[in-house]
Amino acid sequence: MLSSSRTTHPGAADTAERIPVAVHAPDPILREGVVSQLRRYPEIGLREDSGPGTVALLVDDVLDEAGLTRLRRLVRSEGARAVLVVRSLREAELLDVIECGVGAIVWRHEATATRLVQAVLAAARGDGDLPADLLGRLITQVGTLHRSAAGRAGGAPASGLTPREVDVLRLVAEGFDTGEIASKLSYSERTVKNVMHGLTTRLHLRNRAHAVAHALREGYI
């Protein structure tokens, strides 16, 4: 989903099911502060390096070009899932961040330990977890891009999404999780997961947030 996930508490997961997390920060004091907060949660397994199956938690004030390059490397080359924690994000960076594979973003002023774990769990599942104000900006930005492209191409959206996929993505964009989407569409949860997996694989999309951005860009939702 793309809105806030359910709150997670210490002791909620068996230690055998820990999610590997690597914290990346520009200075050791900031990194150690985040690590010490996450260490209290048994569902988190802290790692020094990112890699396939790892959630890379990147913490910084702002995202510069070097940070965006680092994000792309972590996701595309190293196979990690990324959570970005920043103080602010410029409009020009927003779509780049989503399209490079970041599905979860947390504002620094909201980055409590519980909120960080929530975002990590969402990223590990392949869900999206964006602040409500950021989701609104994403919809506005992609909508503007789509209207511009439609004006040049006669307004016809590109092919590629089935009606079932559009129905699922519309509910994902509204913040519903897999179980809620299944209930609303009278599908099984497995069917919803298969629909999402099928479209992300076929269209080479990195996660749910990227799938929603694609559907918005192409004018489906």
Side-chain angles (χ1 to χ4, degrees), residues 10 14 42 47 74 94 123 128 132 143 147 156 171 177:
D14 189 278
R47 301 286 187 273
L74 287 167
L94 179 54
R147 286 191 294 274
L171 292 175
D177 64 23

Side-chain angles (χ1 to χ4, degrees), residues 12-169:
D14 189 278
T15 55
E17 301 175 349
R18 286 181 175 178
I19 297 170
V21 176
V23 178
H24 302 264
D27 64 78
I29 294 177
L30 177 56
R31 181 183 181 279
E32 183 55 36
V34 175
V35 167
S36 66
Q37 290 292 315
L38 296 180
R39 192 176 284 125
R40 300 184 292 113
Y41 288 77
E43 57 265 60
I44 302 298
L46 292 164
R47 301 286 187 273
E48 289 295 324
D49 299 311
S50 299
T54 301
V55 175
L57 184 65
L58 287 88
V59 186
D60 210 337
D61 280 339
V62 296
L63 185 69
D64 56 16
E65 189 59 38
L68 189 58
T69 299
R70 185 164 60 250
L71 277 174
R72 290 194 181 102
R73 186 188 72 246
L74 287 167
V75 175
R76 298 179 182 180
S77 300
E78 300 183 19
R81 297 181 183 273
V83 175
L84 178 64
V85 184
V86 288
R87 194 175 306 279
S88 63
L89 198 61
R90 294 190 297 267
E91 297 291 339
E93 301 163 340
L94 179 54
L95 198 57
D96 283 339
V97 167
I98 297 299
E99 292 189 335
C100 86
V102 177
I105 300 173
V106 179
W107 296 132
R108 282 279 298 268
H109 69 273
E110 297 177 349
T112 63
T114 299
R115 181 69 185 88
L116 291 176
V117 173
Q118 175 181 301
V120 166
L121 293 176
R125 293 191 303 266
D127 291 347
D129 187 353
L130 305 184
D133 60 324
L134 198 58
L135 179 58
R137 285 164 56 191
L138 175 64
I139 291 172
T140 299
Q141 183 177 352
V142 178
T144 300
L145 289 172
H146 168 67
R147 286 191 294 274
S148 176
R152 295 191 301 270
S159 60
L161 293 181
T162 68
R164 172 182 281 190
E165 290 169 343
V166 173
D167 288 342
V168 170
L169 281 176

